[in-house]
Amino acid sequence: MTLESAPESELPTNDPLTRTPAEGLVIDPVLDLIVDPLAESNKGSEWWRSAVIYQIYPRSFADSDGDGVGDLAGITSRLPSLATLGIDAIWLSPFFTSPQRDAGYDVADYCDVDPIFGTLEDFDRLEQEAHRLGLRVIVDLVPNHTSSDHRWFTAALAAGAGSPERARYMFRDGKGNNGELPPNNWQSVFGGEAWTRTTDPDGRPGQWYLHLFDSSQPDLDWSNEWVREQFREILRFWLRRGVDGFRVDVAHGMIKVEGLPDYFAPTLEDGEDANSMGGDAAAVPYWAQPGVHEIYRDWHQLLEEFDGDRVLCAEAWVQPLSKLANWVRPDEMHQAFNFSYLETPWSGNEIRAIVDESIEAFSGVGAPSTWVLSNHDVIRHTSRLALDSPPPQGAGLGPLSEPKPDEALGLARARAASLLMLALPGSAYVYQGEELGLPEVINLPDASRQDPTFFRHNGEKYGRDGCRVPIPWEAGTPAYGFNSTGESWLPQPSDWDDYARSSQEGVPGSTLSLYTAALRERRARGLGLGSVEWLEGYGDDVVAFRNGDVVVIANTGQVAVELPVGDIVVSSVALSEAALPADTTVWLIPRPEYDD
Ligand code: GLC
């Protein structure tokens, strides 16, 4: 794959934080690592407060060697197109050494790159090119569990009960006369028991180990100082390499209640799931325990030792937002994903309420709110927003799901929802492919599914593969330009030509043009650092506010809304009259009305 170069004029020029080019990057002779001396000058910029951060799912972004799995060199070759899109940073889902039983969220070596993705040198090149283009780089840190292939875990199995090696994980004796029952009743997020029994070297059944996720993802014991010290070193390793921060996986799960008591879920409402990641975590003995916070205070200080403004972003499925705000107190993390916003239906009243709640909760601790609509764990919002009752997180959509989302309706709502999101002050996350309007892939054959959720639920939950299909770059080419061989680890639909980047680039009205225009105007008008001032006089179905000089109006209802007189900045559909149709959003600069 050749390096595609963006015309100079299309690169971001008006961002005061944009880093200048590669000449500034040098190899540190002592560390033998690439260092970015410009980072020092960025100390205090707090770029993350308003940043638009683009999530790259490496296995599905761009595949340079044609084996059907995306890789780091592929990402590097496509970075110029992200710079022209107008984002500020990329977050890379895990690319570390891993048996890939949970698509890389099962890490076997935190300080190396899995050969399917490339090498550490490929990572350095990626980071250098990203910085040259003014894009910051956030990597994924998976501290709750390792892979069962990690040397710490194989050493723990070999060392036996009561050993210091076992004390790094959550090994316990079983209940019952012969230890044949699991130590408690906890269920895995992916389905089935959260415990697996080991076999001792003599072949006899041994202790059990805890895994909140797949059995190939044993939970670490974060009350163990040894574990904490290892992760300090892992953080330093990547910080020295020049990363701008970490997205922290399962940041609400690392500390479990002392004694590991049984958990009896309260009566569930329709659509709720006892072993989900979210919900009110208050009563769950493995979610949102107060002990997690001292870990983040420790990491906050560690990051401060490095130049530039490095960040921590929590993946914490914690509700309500007033509780999630504890993850972003001034001495803890910098951001937390706002999943309450992601889960809000396409309803004016509910969107206004969650925006208010978010701004109040986060500003109460001096943090920006984040906004997010899609990621690699949820049904793409292009499909989700077309459903009245979308399945709970992790359940996914598949061939037998009913009703199926209406693609045109979903796309209209997704475009409107994204334009609304990008007008909000704070930091926004964009998941690869949403700028193309990609829908969830529903018709994946069972035989090609890979998500452990699907297998641990015996196919009763489809899982998350539908949002992870490799993205289309060029219409009419093998694998839509994901690679040049046509291989793809998940099959791509045959009708994606119109979604391909090449079909949308420079095309007025395309979803890519909408995102590009919105990101350009957001940046130029400083919306990310602005504020929300609600506008009265619109109905329940309408979200209307002013941020700086821009009036934003989103119509979630069915009745067209009369627009104020003004100049349209961006709109999710071409507007032919002064009315905003159903399922659309507009940004405009109001004009005073004059009588003739
Ligand atoms: C997080 C990741 C998800 C992964 C899980 C276990 O929720 O986003 O993809 O399966 O953690 O690591």
Side-chain angles (χ1 to χ4, degrees):
M1 192 168 282
T2 53
L3 187 87
E4 168 187 304
S5 61
E8 206 59 50
S9 60
E10 284 179 50
L11 295 176
T13 50
N14 52 354
D15 179 6
L17 304 179
T18 297
R19 295 180 188 204
T20 39
E23 302 89 83
L25 295 170
V26 292
I27 305 278
D28 180 299
V30 179
L31 300 171
D32 193 31
L33 295 173
I34 294 174
V35 292
D36 177 1
L38 296 171
E40 183 60 43
S41 62
N42 285 327
K43 193 90 176 166
S45 68
E46 299 198 323
W47 58 273
W48 42 272
R49 286 189 175 272
S50 58
V52 176
I53 302 174
Y54 183 98
Q55 180 188 358
I56 293 181
Y57 196 64
R59 48 175 46 239
S60 301
F61 188 72
D63 173 21
S64 72
D65 62 9
D67 65 354
V69 181
D71 46 46
L72 298 183
I75 296 170
T76 307
S77 74
R78 295 291 190 181
L79 285 177
S81 46
L82 296 185
T84 56
L85 176 61
I87 50 135
D88 301 293
I90 54 174
W91 148 38
L92 299 163
S93 276
F95 50 81
F96 316 107
T97 313
S98 161
Q100 305 291 324
R101 295 198 190 97
D102 183 22
Y105 282 93
D106 47 326
V107 181
D109 186 344
Y110 290 91
C111 297
D112 207 349
V113 174
D114 194 278
I116 60 168
F117 296 123
T119 61
L120 275 173
E121 289 67 42
D122 291 331
F123 175 78
D124 291 338
R125 268 191 287 277
L126 186 165
E127 188 189 81
Q128 185 168 9
E129 174 69 352
H131 285 168
R132 187 182 75 78
L133 294 167
L135 304 174
R136 290 183 170 80
V137 179
I138 293 173
V139 297
D140 217 309
L141 185 76
V142 188
N144 179 67
H145 45 264
T146 69
S147 160
S148 50
D149 285 10
H150 197 289
R151 62 183 187 286
W152 302 339
F153 192 72
T154 48
L157 288 179
S163 61
E165 287 83 355
R166 286 217 172 171
R168 300 165 183 169
Y169 290 89
M170 309 287 287
F171 281 90
R172 295 291 183 277
D173 293 333
K175 287 185 175 162
N177 289 342
N178 301 305
E180 72 280 12
L181 300 173
N184 68 22
N185 71 350
W186 296 0
Q187 297 292 298
S188 151
V189 173
F190 291 162
E193 278 171 356
W195 295 92
T196 291
R197 195 167 194 189
T198 60
T199 305
D200 284 338
D202 62 6
R204 290 216 294 238
Q207 286 190 300
W208 298 71
Y209 66 89
L210 176 71
H211 50 87
L212 292 183
F213 296 89
D214 188 54
S215 55
S216 64
Q217 295 165 296
D219 280 51
L220 287 162
D221 186 345
W222 273 87
S223 66
N224 185 332
E225 177 53 32
W226 185 90
V227 170
R228 293 183 185 220
E229 190 49 35
Q230 302 310 304
F231 273 86
R232 287 185 198 110
E233 280 310 308
I234 292 163
L235 286 166
R236 288 190 188 108
F237 177 87
W238 291 104
L239 290 165
R240 284 189 201 115
R241 266 200 132 74
V243 303
D244 298 283
F246 302 90
R247 174 263 188 192
V248 180
D249 192 63
V250 199
H252 60 319
M254 288 144 73
I255 298 287
K256 284 81 182 173
V257 164
E258 190 76 36
L260 312 185
D262 280 343
Y263 169 54
F264 298 101
T267 316
L268 299 175
E269 286 180 22
D270 260 7
E272 274 187 338
D273 192 348
N275 54 338
S276 72
M277 292 277 279
D280 178 5
V284 188
Y286 40 86
W287 294 147
Q289 297 306 314
V292 294
H293 296 292
E294 68 182 34
I295 302 170
Y296 305 133
R297 290 195 190 100
D298 183 39
W299 291 1
H300 184 104
Q301 284 182 4
L302 192 151
L303 261 61
E304 289 286 305
E305 291 163 16
F306 287 79
D307 56 8
D309 280 10
R310 322 276 184 125
V311 297
L312 295 166
C313 176
E315 188 225 13
W317 294 77
V318 173
Q319 288 173 357
L321 286 164
S322 54
K323 186 164 184 190
L324 179 62
N326 287 341
W327 270 249
V328 288
R329 287 176 287 197
D331 58 349
E332 294 198 33
M333 300 215 189
H334 304 83
Q335 297 184 334
F337 288 105
N338 188 342
F339 294 125
S340 300
Y341 181 75
L342 183 150
E343 289 180 334
T344 300
W346 182 237
S347 140
N349 273 339
E350 295 189 55
I351 294 171
R352 282 195 307 277
I354 201 71
V355 168
D356 270 341
E357 190 186 332
S358 305
I359 293 175
E360 190 187 328
F362 289 116
S363 63
V365 290
S369 183
T370 63
W371 312 103
V372 58
L373 291 167
S374 279
N375 68 26
H376 66 294
D377 289 330
V378 301
I379 297 169
R380 282 187 178 275
H381 66 283
T382 335
S383 301
R384 198 180 66 235
L385 294 178
L387 295 172
D388 286 341
S389 329
Q393 190 275 323
L397 291 173
L400 300 180
S401 303
E402 288 299 341
K404 300 224 175 5
D406 177 300
E407 206 164 310
L409 176 69
L411 182 58
R413 287 186 176 169
R415 290 166 54 112
S418 299
L419 192 56
L420 168 56
M421 172 179 85
L422 293 173
L424 291 169
S427 175
Y429 277 81
V430 171
Y431 175 51
Q432 66 177 41
E434 71 171 76
E435 78 281 18
L436 305 174
L438 284 190
E440 184 84 357
V441 179
I442 296 172
N443 286 323
L444 282 177
D446 286 359
S448 60
R449 290 198 181 266
Q450 313 250 347
D451 183 357
T453 312
F454 178 73
F455 301 101
R456 292 184 65 92
H457 282 283
N458 299 317
E460 277 161 28
K461 284 189 177 183
Y462 286 109
R464 303 160 294 173
D465 292 316
C467 64
R468 299 175 173 182
V469 173
I471 62 171
W473 293 89
E474 279 114 30
T477 64
Y480 303 101
F482 168 61
N483 56 26
S484 55
T485 59
E487 294 292 316
S488 177
W489 70 281
L490 285 173
Q492 298 167 300
S494 55
D495 58 354
W496 266 11
D497 270 348
D498 289 349
Y499 288 113
R501 192 174 219 280
S502 65
S503 307
Q504 301 196 35
E505 219 160 10
V507 176
S510 73
T511 305
L512 182 63
S513 298
L514 174 68
Y515 270 75
T516 310
L519 291 171
R520 185 184 61 234
E521 296 297 332
R522 174 188 161 92
R523 185 188 294 240
R525 296 171 191 281
L527 302 187
L529 291 174
S531 59
V532 167
E533 183 196 322
W534 295 117
L535 299 177
E536 303 299 332
Y538 294 90
D540 283 356
D541 294 334
V542 180
V543 181
F545 63 92
R546 185 190 264 274
N547 181 355
D549 62 351
V550 179
V551 162
V552 179
I553 304 176
N555 184 5
T556 70
Q558 292 312 303
V559 181
V561 175
E562 198 188 323
L563 290 175
V565 177
D567 298 317
I568 291 175
V569 180
V570 203
S571 60
S572 69
V573 289
L575 296 171
S576 50
E577 46 186 304
L580 188 67
D583 300 319
T584 57
T585 297
V586 65
W587 297 3
L588 55 79
I589 309 287
R591 236 186 294 143
E593 281 180 83
Y594 297 105
D595 294 333
D596 290 334

